[in-house]
Amino acid sequence: MPLLAIANLHKSFVTPDGERKTIVHVPEFSLAAGQQLALRGESGSGKTTFLHLIAGILTADSGSILVGGSDMNALAESKRDRLRAENIGYIFQTFNLLQGYSCLENVLLGMAFGPGADRARAQAMLERVGLGHRLHHRPRQLSTGQQQRVAVARALAARPKLVLADEPTGNLDHRNAREALTLIRETCRENGAALLLVSHDPEVLGAFEEVRDFAELNQALKETVA
Amino acid sequence: MTLLLLVSRSLRQHALSTLITALSIALAGGLLMSVWVVKEQSQSTFTQVNTGFDAVLGARGSKLQLVLNAIFHLEASPGNVAAADYEFIKHHPAVKLAIPIAVGDNLRGFRIVGTVPEFFTAVEYKTGTKFSLSAGAPFDPAVKEAVLGSFAAQKLGLHVGDTFHPFHGLVYDEKNQHAESYQVSGILAPSNTPADKVIWIPLHGLQTMSGHDPRVATDVSAVLIQLRSPAAGFMLDLMYNRQGNRLTFAYPIGAIMAELFSKIGWFDQVLTLIAYLVALVSAAGVLVAIYNSMAARRRDIAILRALGAGRFTLFSAIVLEATVIGALGMVAAFAVYAAIVTGVAAVIRAQTGVLLETFAYNHIMLWAPLGMIGLCALSGLLPAWKAYRTDVADNLAPVS
């Protein structure tokens, strides 16, 4: 049984002029435990919405999203929060670090709502991403590359089964992007987490053995064109 | 632990507004407790303090004026009591003790009161407690000696053996100095009664002071009376106030003072109302401070939700934050309270000699903090609801 299994996933929004528009229609998608897959997609193609649906941040109009056997789309919100906190790590393009908290606290909060905050684990994760000497720095005191490394440590601290990465190198220069990507892939592998990364950057996509076109996956894009 | 981390970091992130809001709570809470305690303490103290006397006999006039003048040394004397009237009440079978006083002079604003030595030896100003001297000895009624109340001695800087010239009148005017010189023979130990702010000299000395009208040299200003029984008081009340028309018998002293407080009760109510309003406005300040910061917090809330924090966790964090601001404010409110009541007590002490027990426990010290903290928690509900309703996806931009 795959770690992530999606079937007949539909998500639509009401546009400002009152029209209902389907953004995501994925008939079938799956990801095995420990698998690393990159999705190629242009801006505005619904990639973020797709990841939000998998993470339970958004609810689908219909369809199922099985994460480790639990249907994210069928659960009540509080159970979706729990499932997300215990099984999914999320890495954002804009890092989304909490500016009022230290690096260590950011990582601790990555665990707090799931398995529980573990200071030693949080510290070890920050050391793993090369920030053992920046534990008590605030995000704004770090470079953008360092901030993304904190985000990686936070996403993996709770030992998630699945890591979702949304354009994780989009805000980084070439060197930092390459380093961040390597770090994400390595730490996912070390922690046994599957990785689903979305990007439009050929260099990033080129680093993956498995790459799929989101346009192929998301039938809503074809329906719009048709 | 996570809730505490969220609250402490949020307070730190919004440190300035936290500080200002907590200070406004502190001022409101301190004011509320001060108004309440000063009101209750003043009423209970001034209706109970009578320096050991049950009644006052004085010239025809207001009972309240008589009590304020003879017991609290505040008002002007309504007139004199003839020596014969004093002798009559002194030997009345219903009267246990009658102490005459004469007023009309001061020393730099502190009243000089003429009386008899029995005032120091026979009067229990509180059950089982008589006036005692912290230094020196009681005055000799035959010579020009004075016993100073503790507060008066401290403020005037006078010690045993020092001498002074009295000034005529109840209000200090340096041009009205009497020729007589008095020597301080003793200083009273603090009694926390109006006696503390008085300069006591022999009755005869004040009656015969140079410049005083020799025709009334045997008159007294009032007679302080201890009765043998409460029934005697009503009997004398009937005799002086209903059947007679020359003198006023002020009895019972506590009831007369209570009447004063009931007359100014509206003022207490206005003060209390203002204190309640200030408390309400401060609690509203907590609401406004947190509510206004919600726009800046939305992204943090969305991030925390993406990390798995439930809506209720974030709702609770905001309510707890408002509660903590209230609690911090109320801790500081005790400092504000201490400052206000210390100042008020000092003024009351200077004016009346009575020391309010403002630091004794009062139920408001429990209810005001609980009430204010509860009010702050309530005021956190609206911003907490806003946090509860925050859309996660919308606030995690950008979207690809």
Side-chain angles (χ1 to χ4, degrees), chain B residues 29-358:
Chain B
L31 185 66
L32 186 64
M33 290 192 290
S34 305
V35 166
W36 194 275
V37 169
V38 169
K39 181 182 78 169
E40 286 205 342
Q41 274 285 316
S42 308
Q43 286 198 16
S44 66
T45 306
F46 282 94
T47 51
Q48 283 164 20
V49 166
N50 53 26
T51 57
F53 297 100
D54 302 312
V56 181
L57 181 68
R60 196 70 175 174
S62 149
K63 288 181 182 176
L64 181 59
Q65 186 186 0
L66 197 53
V67 170
L68 288 176
N69 175 254
I71 298 291
F72 292 96
H73 309 287
L74 287 173
E75 273 276 1
S77 171
N80 287 345
V81 176
D85 291 318
Y86 162 56
E87 289 300 327
F88 176 80
I89 193 80
K90 184 182 173 183
H91 295 106
H92 195 286
V95 172
K96 188 173 152 195
L97 180 69
I99 302 286
I101 61 166
V103 300
D105 289 328
N106 79 91
L107 176 59
R108 299 207 296 276
F110 286 88
R111 286 195 182 195
I112 296 173
V113 178
T115 191
V116 292
E118 287 79 2
F119 182 83
F120 305 110
T121 55
V123 176
E124 289 183 356
Y125 65 88
K126 177 162 82 173
T127 311
T129 313
K130 290 181 181 174
F131 289 107
S132 61
L133 293 158
S134 62
F139 57 66
D140 178 347
V143 296
K144 290 183 171 56
E145 285 184 340
V147 168
L148 270 59
S150 57
F151 187 76
Q154 183 201 335
K155 290 291 173 188
L156 292 167
L158 290 175
H159 304 93
V160 174
D162 291 348
T163 57
F164 63 88
H165 291 278
F167 291 82
H168 185 66
L170 296 178
V171 179
Y172 174 57
D173 180 349
E174 61 182 12
K175 294 196 289 284
N176 293 336
Q177 193 179 54
H178 286 296
E180 288 87 343
S181 174
Y182 277 79
Q183 185 172 41
V184 179
S185 68
I187 292 169
L188 286 178
S191 64
N192 294 330
T193 69
D196 289 355
K197 60 159 194 162
V198 171
I199 295 160
W200 302 94
I201 64 169
L203 181 69
H204 182 69
L206 200 130
Q207 286 170 323
T208 58
M209 195 82 73
S210 59
H212 287 187
D213 188 348
R215 289 169 297 175
V216 293
T218 56
D219 286 1
V220 298
S221 300
V223 186
L224 309 177
I225 294 164
Q226 276 183 6
L227 297 165
R228 292 196 188 280
S229 72
F234 294 109
M235 187 260 286
L236 290 171
D237 176 58
L238 183 72
M239 187 177 93
Y240 282 109
N241 300 332
R242 310 266 172 92
Q243 295 167 351
N245 60 6
R246 288 186 307 109
L247 298 170
T248 293
F249 186 75
Y251 172 83
I253 292 171
I256 291 164
M257 288 306 290
E259 203 178 307
L260 169 68
F261 282 100
S262 78
K263 275 179 189 164
I264 59 167
W266 63 270
F267 184 67
D268 282 344
Q269 286 171 353
V270 169
L271 273 185
T272 309
L273 186 66
I274 290 170
Y276 280 139
L277 283 176
V278 171
L280 267 179
V281 169
S282 308
V286 174
L287 188 156
V288 171
I290 298 179
Y291 195 87
N292 282 349
S293 68
M294 287 313 288
R297 293 169 191 239
R298 256 188 238 136
R299 191 171 175 86
D300 279 7
I301 289 168
I303 294 168
L304 288 165
R305 294 274 288 115
L307 294 177
R311 285 183 194 273
F312 190 71
T313 302
L314 298 176
F315 179 93
S316 308
I318 299 281
V319 173
L320 185 59
E321 185 179 334
T323 309
V324 169
I325 291 174
L328 290 174
M330 285 313 294
V331 169
F334 279 95
V336 174
Y337 166 80
I340 293 176
V341 296
T342 301
V344 171
V347 170
I348 291 176
R349 180 90 205 274
Q351 293 298 315
T352 67
V354 174
L355 186 65
L356 300 185
E357 283 185 41
T358 42

Side-chain angles (χ1 to χ4, degrees), chain A residues 30-41:
Chain A
S30 65
L31 194 72
Q35 187 183 351
Q36 297 197 347
L37 174 70
L39 288 179
R40 178 191 294 116

Side-chain angles (χ1 to χ4, degrees), chain A residues 44 47-48 52 57-58 77 81 84-85 92 94 96-98 100-101 105 109 112-113 138 154 166-167, chain B residues 2 5-6 9 12-13 299-300 303-311 313 392-393 396-400:
Chain A
K47 301 191 302 287
T48 298
H52 280 359
I57 289 170
L58 286 173
E77 189 181 58
D81 293 338
R84 175 167 66 253
F92 303 89
T94 50
N96 279 338
L97 296 176
L98 295 155
Y101 299 73
E105 287 166 345
L109 283 170
F113 308 107
R138 305 272 190 91
R154 184 178 68 181
D166 187 0
E167 299 277 12
Chain B
T2 305
L5 176 67
L6 294 177
R9 292 300 172 268
R12 190 177 68 182
Q13 255 183 301
R299 191 171 175 86
D300 279 7
I303 294 168
L304 288 165
R305 294 274 288 115
L307 294 177
R311 285 183 194 273
T313 302
V392 183
L396 284 176
V399 172
S400 61

